[in-house]
Amino acid sequence: MKRLFVITATMLLLMVASTTFAQKTISGKVTDSKDGQGISGASVQIVGTSNGTVSAQDGSFTLSNVAAGQSLSASGVGYETKIVDIGDSSFLQIVLTATTQEMNEVVVIGYGTQRKREVTGAISKVSGDKLNTIVAPSFEAALQGKAPGVQVMQGNGLAGSGSVIRIRGVGSVTAGGDPLYVVDGIPIGSDQFLRQDNRSGMNQNPLASINPADIESIEVLKDAGATGIYGSRGANGVILITTKRGKSGKPAFNYSTRLGASTYTRKPSFVSTAEWLQLRQEGWVNDGNTGYADIPGGFTYESAAKNNTDWWDLLTQTGFINEHNLSMSQGTKKFKTFANLSYSNNEGYIKSNAYERLSARLNIDYNILSNLKLSLTSGWNRGVNKRVPAAWDGGIGDAMSGALPFFSVYNEDGSYFTNGANPMRRMLETKRREIDNRFIGGLSLEYQPIKNLFIRANGSVEYTTAIDDVYESNIWINQANPDSGYAKRFPYWGTNKNGNVTVNYLKNIGSDHKFNFLAGVEAQEYIRENYLFEIGSLPVRLT
């Protein structure tokens, strides 16, 4: 019996050793059949098992615990799934082919459209329905994770604040890194510093007033080909925004609403008063001092220990988000119309902070003749941003830095505490509101005199106004003078005119060769005015 046990155990050990010996680690690379470039984010998995990984930025991958004779499955978004036998290989080169549906998709390339399979540059397309899958403060924030090579970084999280977008990294050391935004062929102003500096610790997002529900699709031009279309303006990439237009059929109405909540992703860790006093005393002693350490604000250890203020809790909230969209689409062979009316209110995670947007759109397409088409594009957006101080300007910035836990909001007599940072005093005694109005209108005419020859003329205007109002009470400015108080207004006007004429000729040679000849001219003019108004004075600044 003992001998039988030894033989059985030996055989089991040999089997385990044999299995372990047969397992190995393999590596490889997933590439695109079109250009040979690596595909990042591709799923690589052993067939029939949970053993898998995701390819790196250059398409490379590594898998361990792989047995000879197993098969490998590789797939990616927009690519057909491919299964390969591993065999005795330790390195696999996996080539994926884009799906037929993806390759036949029509994309906007600037002055026209092409099928994706005919595009030689790097273009990513995001449809409007994908943008609206999540509640986002603005459309560019909804791009996050939906377009390869496009990095979207949310700013400070305040309602109405902008996102930082970088296409394939930073392309300049001293110049700006923002891409060019083009709405229905109209290059628009999107510079957050164009109208103002970062007063109150944030910049108003000039793109926040654009309604994501109006967007049909977004194309991102990522390579040097963008400069061939838009010149130096496209040096950091181009984001082309196409709004919805009317479709054939009887009038169809659509209503949608979304409700949500906003809060901070993670609460920072703050020390309590007892912990702060302990750390203060330890630092005091470690510096070679004796006795009790000095405490800011004229506090003693006994008086400081009585307070333990949670500044973060006092300044933050769970915001409510609601959005409503009502649209109408109708069309005949000659006349198509799309109209939309939208309202949204996005409360931020900081008390008193909210961004309210009202927008309207009317797009019309009219076939005057069989070879002559007139198109009208128009949109109006109004954004009201209830701003609060942040970062270096106080408010939530003070709550994360200078406001110590033993400071209080009010003194015993009911007056504000002023012997140190008091974020609540700053927030309650200052008011700020910024109102933006943006009108975008464009008229285009397309004429086809002969087959495959298209002549297009476009004229457009973007008119923007902004009023940034700031009020600071006498309690904040000067407590000794009850009649004081301070009000400022920063108005802005901007007019952006654009016009272009293009001649486009298409030539097909057989079924495999296509030529697209394009010639055109474009002119753009941008005029802006800034002022500063103060109570009791004339404008003191003009730029």
Side-chain angles (χ1 to χ4, degrees), residues 108-112 123 180 182 221 223-234 238 240 518 522:
V108 179
I109 57 172
Y111 301 103
I123 296 181
L180 172 68
V182 181
L221 311 185
D223 60 3
T227 59
I229 302 175
Y230 293 100
S232 60
R233 296 176 298 172
V238 181
L240 305 174
L518 176 69
E522 181 177 9

Side-chain angles (χ1 to χ4, degrees), residues 278-290:
Q278 180 181 352
L279 292 172
R280 177 77 168 185
Q281 186 62 30
E282 289 179 359
W284 178 265
V285 173
N286 291 338
D287 282 342
N289 300 305
T290 58

Side-chain angles (χ1 to χ4, degrees), residues 24-26 45-47 63 65-73 83-92:
K24 60 181 180 179
T25 297
I26 64 169
Q45 189 170 359
I46 303 298
V47 177
L63 269 177
N65 300 327
V66 179
Q70 289 184 313
S71 298
L72 197 67
S73 173
I83 299 177
V84 296
D85 294 329
I86 297 174
D88 297 329
S89 303
S90 59
F91 184 86
L92 296 173

